[in-house]
Amino acid sequence: AQSVAQPEDQVKVAEGNPLTVKCTYSVSGNPYLFWYVQYPNRGLQFLLKYITGDNLVKGSYGFEAEFNKSQTSFHLKKPSALVSDSALYFCAVRDGTSGSARQLTFGSGTQLTVLP
Amino acid sequence: GAGVSQSPSNKVTEKGKDVELRCDPISGHTALYWYRQRLGQGLEFLIYFQGNSAPDKSGLPSDRFSAERTGESVSTLTIQRTQQEDSAVYLCASSVDGSSYNEQFFGPGTRLTVL
């Protein structure tokens, strides 16, 4: 079984400040981790993923995420937030072990609000 | 277009009616997924198609839900005898193939409201 927890329903930061959106996961095999963003009335857009290699992953729109195996975390970060970053963010996991189910398991989402 | 498309964008129906939702994946993508997103919640996996393999139906919540896919193209999700708890946004996604490391590309969703 696999699961994702996003402990914060909402995160608010001031424009120009760094932001962090937290995610922890549970998976029996190798974790493949993804971040998606959802703008109002639109589908999910892929931001970045961790499959293997460097623990710090860089993605779209200046976002990055750090994989921490010991803490089973994959927090999303950005050094300087923009008002346009305000959206709903989802963390997702799937088990990369051969033969495992292919569907993503999503967290419940974190609403990020960047204040001008 | 280059992305995943879904139709209709909105569907309002009466309890007990059947509805059919359509998904056009990105051309060349062999894997297709359906998810359900209830208001204020994350996505729930419904069903997964990969090429000509038997679909993974493990996420379908009841036998009122079914889905088909024509080859590696269009998919339809059918909900029979709709109930109010079926009200949600239904999202379709496709990926190049079913490999675990490939990201999924999502359509804009169909918002279903059951009165």
Side-chain angles (χ1 to χ4, degrees):
Chain A
Q2 53 198 41
S3 65
V4 174
Q6 293 182 242
E8 301 159 316
D9 291 337
Q10 292 191 47
V11 170
K12 293 184 179 180
V13 298
E15 188 174 31
N17 282 2
L19 70 86
T20 298
V21 182
K22 296 180 180 178
C23 170
T24 59
Y25 66 89
S26 174
V27 67
S28 55
N30 297 324
Y32 288 177
L33 295 151
F34 302 79
W35 275 102
Y36 286 84
V37 60
Q38 186 176 35
Y39 297 100
N41 300 316
R42 295 174 64 178
L44 275 70
Q45 296 180 31
F46 169 74
L47 276 180
L48 51 78
K49 64 182 177 182
Y50 170 82
I51 303 301
T52 188
D54 194 349
N55 289 344
L56 183 64
V57 178
K58 294 187 182 297
S60 307
Y61 312 119
F63 283 93
E64 57 189 30
E66 186 166 13
F67 171 65
N68 187 316
K69 187 174 183 179
S70 63
Q71 296 185 6
T72 61
S73 67
F74 190 56
H75 301 330
L76 181 70
K77 300 181 180 183
K78 187 172 182 180
S80 179
L82 299 173
V83 172
S84 58
D85 293 330
S86 299
L88 187 57
Y89 290 80
F90 289 97
C91 181
V93 68
R94 73 197 327 180
D95 189 336
T97 306
S98 177
S100 299
R102 291 290 179 255
Q103 70 268 23
L104 286 168
T105 297
F106 285 83
S108 55
T110 298
Q111 180 66 49
L112 173 67
T113 301
V114 181
L115 304 169
Chain B
V4 177
S5 60
Q6 293 185 245
S7 60
S9 55
N10 280 283
K11 177 71 177 178
V12 179
T13 190
E14 294 179 347
K15 178 181 174 181
K17 300 284 189 182
D18 297 352
V19 296
E20 195 171 273
L21 313 179
R22 176 186 169 107
C23 172
D24 284 90
I26 293 172
S27 178
H29 281 194
T30 63
L32 186 146
Y33 308 78
W34 282 99
Y35 294 87
R36 177 171 69 180
Q37 185 179 23
R38 289 191 164 125
L39 187 63
Q41 299 184 22
L43 279 69
E44 303 170 66
F45 165 75
L46 297 177
I47 188 168
Y48 158 63
F49 295 90
Q50 169 55 45
N52 294 319
S53 302
D56 177 355
K57 304 179 181 180
S58 60
L60 294 179
S62 77
D63 59 7
R64 296 187 296 104
F65 288 71
S66 63
E68 294 183 348
R69 188 180 186 192
T70 307
E72 294 184 349
S73 58
V74 172
S75 176
T76 55
L77 176 69
T78 301
I79 308 173
Q80 296 178 310
R81 305 181 302 281
T82 52
Q83 304 295 312
Q84 289 183 334
E85 63 262 28
D86 299 334
S87 296
V89 176
Y90 289 82
L91 291 166
C92 175
S94 70
S95 63
V96 170
D97 58 28
S99 299
S100 296
Y101 48 81
N102 284 325
E103 60 269 29
Q104 296 174 18
F105 295 85
F106 284 80
T110 293
R111 182 176 299 278
L112 175 66
T113 303
V114 182
L115 302 177

